[in-house]
Amino acid sequence: QRAYIVLSHHIMAGLNATEATANQKTKSIILFYKYAPLSDDSDKMYILRDALETLCSQLHLKGRILLGMSTDAEGINGTLSGARDDVEACVVALLGKDGFSEEIDNRYSDIAKDFWNKSEEFSQAASVPPLYLDSKEDFKWSTVQSAEDLFPDLKIKLVKEIISTGGKLSSLKLNDTKQGYLNPEEWHEEMKKLNSAGQDDEKSNTILIDCRNHKEFQIGHFDGAMDPNTKTFEQFPRWVKQNRAGLDGKKSAHVLHWGHSL
């Protein structure tokens, strides 16, 4: 009888595992951000917030979106998940009516057009260009097999900073954030110079700093990069202040995240 009970438990466990696997679905995830002038008027910002909430709700997307309240250097930072077709429709909408060359699926055309109209309404109210992403390459895609939603709900918040620095960098102007960025070819050339000189060489005046968190640094980093050993980017300005003596007079190259360096 004991053997029968044990065997029954194994059979039921196997059936439950099979059922769980069968219930799993492919969930798509997009990450995106853009610095752009918006508004520091909450009433105007709620026009854009409501437009994004309607768009995501109609596409059954869940996740988190931060909208930075500023007339200059803030913008949008988001992570959304859902079915592939729904996420793709969201990307179409976020690229703007002039930013996507492919034809919109009829299932989503009204949703996208409604979002564009509301974006134009915000644009006119705030006297700024509509908040659209520049290209498909601005979205980082990934997929996960899961029977459950990856986020419990959809939250869209109005914040002072879309990437928190504890207010340390919130005074930067939008044009200042564009200074110093290197394209891939320029970055590789700098890495060649740095590796040939050697970071420990007294003649080298360049240091390489990985601004990502410690966990990301451990997963992979450039040879010779310094690890500030932070958990969040908010801690990085404090690390700079604490290590200013060793940084003064140096030319620094920063890894912000894979694909974005300066």
Side-chain angles (χ1 to χ4, degrees):
Q1 185 176 5
R2 289 180 59 191
Y4 172 77
I5 294 173
V6 171
L7 181 59
S8 296
H9 281 308
H10 282 299
I11 292 173
M12 290 304 298
L15 289 174
N16 289 336
T18 301
E19 183 178 356
T21 302
N23 289 334
Q24 287 189 347
K25 297 181 180 179
T26 301
K27 307 286 185 179
S28 292
I29 308 168
I30 51 170
L31 288 75
F32 58 93
Y33 77 92
K34 179 181 180 178
Y35 282 98
L38 296 178
S39 173
D40 54 9
D41 185 323
S42 59
D43 289 337
K44 295 175 182 177
M45 288 294 290
Y46 264 98
I47 299 174
L48 179 59
R49 183 203 171 281
D50 291 347
L52 286 163
E53 185 174 55
T54 300
L55 171 69
C56 294
S57 297
Q58 289 180 325
L59 295 174
H60 314 291
L61 303 184
K62 296 182 179 181
R64 302 290 182 264
I65 295 178
L66 301 179
L67 289 173
M69 291 184 59
S70 172
T71 57
D72 189 63
E74 290 307 316
I76 187 170
N77 186 359
T79 303
L80 297 170
S81 71
R84 176 82 188 191
D85 287 351
D86 294 333
V87 175
E88 286 182 343
C90 181
V91 169
V92 170
L94 291 175
L95 286 172
K97 56 186 175 182
D98 298 324
F100 201 83
S101 58
E102 298 179 22
E103 184 149 349
I104 303 172
D105 189 306
N106 289 332
R107 294 176 297 165
Y108 304 114
S109 59
D110 288 342
I111 296 174
K113 290 175 182 177
D114 182 52
F115 174 73
W116 296 333
N117 289 336
K118 291 178 180 177
S119 294
E120 294 291 341
E121 180 185 344
F122 165 75
S123 172
Q124 293 176 10
S127 299
V128 296
L131 180 61
Y132 297 137
L133 277 290
D134 297 322
S135 72
K136 290 189 290 184
E137 284 67 37
D138 289 331
F139 297 88
K140 180 181 178 182
W141 284 80
S142 58
T143 57
V144 175
Q145 293 291 329
S146 176
E148 299 179 355
D149 290 330
L150 303 180
F151 291 94
D153 51 21
L154 172 69
K155 288 188 177 180
I156 303 176
K157 293 184 178 181
L158 303 182
V159 297
K160 292 183 178 181
E161 293 183 298
I162 58 172
I163 298 177
S164 179
T165 67
K168 299 293 184 181
L169 304 180
S170 58
S171 61
L172 285 177
K173 300 298 182 182
L174 186 60
N175 285 336
D176 293 338
T177 66
K178 300 176 182 178
Q179 300 298 317
Y181 275 87
L182 303 179
N183 62 38
E185 291 75 19
E186 293 170 332
W187 177 261
H188 286 301
E189 188 62 31
E190 284 295 322
M191 291 302 98
K192 287 180 181 178
K193 294 178 182 178
L194 189 59
N195 291 332
S196 63
Q199 290 205 57
D200 294 330
D201 194 317
E202 293 182 359
K203 296 181 181 180
S204 175
N205 196 42
T206 302
I207 54 176
L208 178 59
I209 305 173
D210 196 322
C211 301
R212 301 171 305 148
N213 63 49
H214 178 63
K215 184 177 180 180
E216 291 174 317
F217 180 89
Q218 287 185 311
I219 293 173
H221 57 269
F222 289 99
D223 290 340
M226 298 176 64
D227 177 17
N229 199 27
T230 58
K231 290 184 178 179
T232 66
F233 188 70
E234 184 176 349
Q235 297 174 333
F236 180 69
R238 183 164 64 247
W239 178 88
V240 172
K241 185 177 181 179
Q242 293 171 346
N243 294 272
R244 183 176 296 277
L247 301 176
D248 280 345
K250 295 283 189 179
K251 177 183 177 182
S252 60
H254 305 86
V255 179
L256 303 182
H257 61 78
W258 296 123
H260 290 76
S261 309
L262 57 89

